[in-house]
Amino acid sequence: MTFVRIDGVPHHVRVDGTGPVCVLSAGLGLCWFDWDPVVPLLAPHRTVVRFDRPGLGLSGPARTWPTLDAEARRIAHVLDGLGLTAPVTVAGHSLAGFHAEAFARLYPARTAGLVLLDTSVEEAPRPRAGRAARNAGTRACATLLAAAGVPRALGAPLRRAAVRAGRRRGGDPAPYDLVRSAYGTSRSLHAVLAENATYRDEAVRLDVLRRHFPLPDVPVTVLATGSGRWVDRQRALAERLDAAFHVTRRPSGHLLMLDRPEDVAEAVLTTTAPQAPEPIQAP
């Protein structure tokens, strides 16, 4: 465990394993420990970097409102803080798929591969009016809820319920005390609400980046889960990005790093490996 200070905010970072570097960036409101089932499968082959965005996990509270460019820059600054300069494979889950793709487009020389894990998809996002008012309203709501003690009372149970709903089977594998320390704070509440409030803004910005900043010539993989229209949308995104497309070998919820960690690890390894390794068996 270490901390990297970015724009005055201490960012909690974990580094495991050896070999080429891969960065794992979690979806909306998630923490470093949500990658725990994946890391042992990657660490023998990769240097695995995980980090908490401001307000989440063990990182300090956010000082600015989330933007897509800032999230791409955050990945670069985490690597800078660790002294890692070689190109990396960056994997983003859900909302962080936006961040990972933006990093690849804005920092092509630092990108060795791109993996999108059940990533958020917005085919034709439209800007929403009143961004400043929306942001102010979200901040006010978070402040009132925090003053009423909602994070301390309901943060951990709501996190538990969200994870259970996001899995095909099972509940939240993280220890309760760890969940309570990460989600029972006002900073985590502010961070979750801010990421949710700016989701559409980031989708609109990514649409602009796709028109003006091409992806570097590196392997790209889209790993999806589910069925029906959602998988069709993921497949269409893969075609748009000229990416390899896979669906988890067995049914999984949206939190595929918990339900199908071996599929996630294989997607990361095969995106940069010159030859595909044998399928990984979960321990």
Side-chain angles (χ1 to χ4, degrees):
M1 179 175 66
T2 188
F3 286 86
V4 173
R5 188 168 292 274
I6 302 172
D7 296 330
V9 178
H11 287 61
H12 170 235
V13 180
R14 297 277 176 129
V15 182
D16 300 273
T18 58
V21 178
C22 67
V23 178
L24 306 180
S25 188
L28 194 156
L30 298 178
C31 294
W32 91 94
F33 52 73
D34 291 304
W35 295 106
D36 278 354
V38 178
V39 171
L41 305 176
L42 288 175
H45 316 282
R46 297 288 186 271
T47 298
V48 184
V49 176
R50 297 174 282 170
F51 67 96
D52 292 324
R53 294 188 293 274
L56 300 174
L58 300 180
S59 290
R63 294 187 175 184
T64 57
W65 207 244
T67 68
L68 185 61
D69 293 66
E71 295 306 331
R73 187 166 59 250
R74 191 182 318 282
I75 297 172
H77 285 333
V78 166
L79 296 171
D80 291 341
L82 297 174
L84 299 172
T85 58
V88 304
T89 299
V90 58
H93 166 252
S94 193
L95 171 66
F98 288 172
H99 306 164
E101 185 180 340
F103 174 84
R105 293 181 183 277
L106 293 174
Y107 299 88
R110 305 192 70 170
T111 305
L114 173 64
V115 183
L116 303 177
L117 302 167
D118 220 38
T119 184
S120 297
V121 179
E122 295 294 335
E123 290 83 359
R126 295 184 178 181
R128 295 170 58 192
R131 178 177 178 179
R134 285 188 285 110
N135 294 351
T138 300
R139 288 192 184 94
C141 178
T143 300
L144 288 173
L145 292 173
V150 170
R152 179 176 293 275
L154 298 178
L158 288 174
R159 144 78 194 203
R160 290 290 218 213
V163 170
R164 195 159 46 245
R167 298 193 63 184
R168 177 78 175 190
R169 58 189 184 277
D172 189 348
Y176 186 80
D177 288 346
L178 187 60
V179 172
R180 184 173 57 187
S181 68
Y183 289 90
T185 64
S186 60
R187 59 181 169 78
S188 66
L189 175 64
H190 277 84
V192 171
L193 293 182
E195 290 195 341
N196 184 69
T198 55
Y199 169 85
R200 184 59 58 88
D201 300 321
E202 293 192 5
V204 169
R205 177 56 179 162
L206 181 58
D207 193 51
V208 173
L209 294 183
R210 284 172 174 168
R211 294 196 299 269
H212 298 284
F213 295 86
L215 281 175
D217 185 18
V218 299
V220 181
T221 298
V222 174
L223 177 64
T225 188
S227 60
R229 175 61 179 153
W230 175 247
V231 170
D232 291 340
R233 294 174 69 193
Q234 296 274 315
R235 181 181 292 106
L237 175 65
E239 293 174 355
R240 179 177 184 179
L241 301 181
D242 194 23
F245 177 72
H246 304 286
V247 179
T248 53
R249 286 192 291 266
R250 290 204 297 269
S252 167
H254 182 54
L255 298 178
L256 69 175
M257 68 276 274
L258 301 180
D259 280 349
R260 299 296 299 164
E262 57 271 38
D263 288 0
V264 172
E266 188 174 338
V268 172
L269 293 175
T270 58
T271 297
T272 54
Q275 295 182 348
E278 294 297 319
I280 296 170
Q281 302 299 320

